[in-house]
Amino acid sequence: MKVIKWMLTLGILLPTYAFSQSGIERIKIDGFIGERINTCIEKRVKAQNVPELIHPFRHMTEGGWWQSEFFGKWMLGATASYRYTADPELLQIIKDAASDFMETQQLDGYIGNYKQEDRLTNWDIWGRKYSSLALLEYYRLTKDGKALKAVERLIDHLIKELEERNVNIAASGFYYGMASCSILEPVVYLYKETNKPRYLDFAKMIVGGIEQAGSSQLITKALQDIPVSHRSPFPNQWWSFENGQKAYEMMSCYEGLVELGKVLNEPLYLEAVQKTVDNILQEEINIAGSGAAFECWYEGKKKQTIPTYHTMETCVTFTWMQLCARLWRETANPMYMDEFERTMYNALMASMKRDGSQISKYSPLEGRRQPGEEQCGMHINCCNANGPRGFALIPDIAYQIKD
């Protein structure tokens, strides 16, 4: 086994390797970056009011909003932080949270906050995606079989519900179905953990829906070199199904396509992701390593000197870093680490308040950072929930092992 270390100021061209995260607990990052990581863990991750995040899952009264993403995002940031710190206090927080969260699972397998008649609409499946990812990561961390079983029941219920209600997942939710279809990633992970064919079949079905006319067609449009800012006509309503430029959800789907491509040994999936990332880099990512306005691609690189509202959402910043890291693991191309590093030092570091109490929703190139509003009637927002994952990703990437 050969150890490969990526120093934060150096990218080295390597052959294509299979990487794992083993060994992360053996390193500590010092200096400004290390201080920022530690502050985020103490002030954002460990200080979070977790029962508040679980509360909506107990009552299931929602029909439109996205409260169900917050717990999963927090849990993913917490487990990644624990892998780095090995902090026993944080581990206990995680275990208590997972136990309380799994108690909200319904007899039919549903985990979510939507009332019965509104399920499969709006952000419901998106929330189930984050619940699945969180419990799968908890299972990987602790090997608690209850967590894996909970994800199986959750996905089995979703498959059954889609069939019984005759709902095309790629025609549900927002942004040409990209929000709903991003559940592809945990479905692939579940298949890899269980080797049960129904999950692979479901993953293939999701991709089939993505590629249908009238859906996002993420593979076809990428291979046709259609820029991400021109993937659909300008929508009549911005926050709607008819907006195909939504950056965060688009990249989330491509993360699932990378994972499914590995399972199926289908190189076209990776090619589609790489072509999309190349276009994002060439036309969207600004000097600080992030992009998007009103959370959508808009040919932002050439417009970065023009005052623009709501730029550089932290969820976009983190997901861009994660996608670059994923492609580096697949290709060992140092360009992806160069971009990861640029985003980390600039956009990500600029997003967190000095005392760690807030992660801004937007961090524009001029003006001032914007603290996120409290969303969905809760004392949190998407970027405060998601931002810690970006800080925890740094040590995860800083140490890799070639199997």
Side-chain angles (χ1 to χ4, degrees), residues 24-30 38 83-86:
I24 184 176
E25 73 282 354
R26 298 179 222 165
I27 67 165
K28 289 293 178 286
I29 298 174
D30 296 321
N38 293 337
R83 290 185 188 279
Y84 173 56
T85 64

Side-chain angles (χ1 to χ4, degrees), residues 92-108:
Q92 191 59 54
I93 292 171
I94 291 168
K95 287 182 175 180
D96 291 344
S99 177
D100 289 347
F101 183 66
M102 285 188 282
E103 287 180 359
T104 71
Q105 187 161 38
Q106 302 302 296
L107 292 176
D108 61 6

Side-chain angles (χ1 to χ4, degrees), residues 27-89:
I27 67 165
K28 289 293 178 286
I29 298 174
D30 296 321
F32 176 74
I33 300 297
E35 183 275 328
R36 294 281 77 195
I37 295 170
N38 293 337
T39 297
C40 185
I41 293 170
E42 289 296 321
K43 301 300 184 180
R44 281 300 318 145
V45 177
K46 292 176 67 176
Q48 180 61 51
N49 180 350
V50 180
E52 182 193 15
L53 305 186
I54 299 175
H55 180 79
F57 295 89
R58 300 188 188 281
H59 299 281
M60 296 174 291
T61 58
E62 189 53 63
W65 284 353
W66 55 93
Q67 297 98 328
S68 54
E69 71 170 40
F70 298 142
F71 175 82
K73 288 180 175 182
W74 172 83
M75 176 64 90
L76 290 165
T79 52
S81 297
Y82 173 74
R83 290 185 188 279
Y84 173 56
T85 64
D87 177 357
E89 181 183 17

Side-chain angles (χ1 to χ4, degrees), residues 261-274:
K262 288 192 293 185
V263 170
L264 297 178
N265 194 27
E266 175 49 79
L268 280 180
Y269 291 2
L270 180 60
E271 181 182 352
V273 180
Q274 288 183 282

Side-chain angles (χ1 to χ4, degrees), residues 81-228:
S81 297
Y82 173 74
R83 290 185 188 279
Y84 173 56
T85 64
D87 177 357
E89 181 183 17
L90 178 55
L91 180 60
Q92 191 59 54
I93 292 171
I94 291 168
K95 287 182 175 180
D96 291 344
S99 177
D100 289 347
F101 183 66
M102 285 188 282
E103 287 180 359
T104 71
Q105 187 161 38
Q106 302 302 296
L107 292 176
D108 61 6
Y110 180 70
I111 299 178
N113 68 321
Y114 272 51
K115 52 186 181 288
Q116 185 74 40
E117 60 269 27
D118 289 321
R119 291 179 188 173
L120 305 179
T121 69
N122 296 318
W123 296 101
D124 182 38
I125 300 176
W126 170 262
R128 300 192 214 192
K129 181 266 293 277
Y130 274 110
S131 296
S132 300
L133 283 173
L135 290 174
L136 282 165
E137 192 58 29
Y138 179 72
Y139 167 72
R140 293 184 185 121
L141 180 69
T142 64
K143 298 304 177 186
D144 184 346
K146 291 185 295 185
L148 182 61
K149 185 62 178 176
V151 181
E152 285 196 67
R153 293 180 59 215
L154 188 161
I155 298 299
D156 287 344
H157 174 257
L158 175 59
I159 294 170
K160 180 181 179 182
E161 196 172 31
L162 288 165
E163 291 176 349
E164 290 179 347
R165 297 194 181 192
N166 193 29
V167 172
N168 173 9
I169 190 171
S172 69
F174 291 91
Y175 314 119
Y176 279 82
M178 291 187 295
S180 295
C181 288
S182 67
I183 202 169
L184 174 65
E185 183 186 0
V187 170
V188 175
Y189 293 152
L190 183 59
Y191 169 71
K192 292 171 72 174
E193 293 291 349
T194 65
N195 204 34
K196 293 181 178 179
R198 65 179 179 272
Y199 302 129
L200 184 58
D201 291 341
F202 185 37
K204 292 177 181 177
M205 187 203 79
I206 294 171
V207 175
I210 286 172
E211 285 300 292
Q212 289 176 350
S215 189
S216 57
Q217 295 185 306
L218 294 174
I219 300 170
T220 298
K221 291 181 178 180
L223 297 177
Q224 292 175 346
D225 294 316
I226 298 176
V228 292

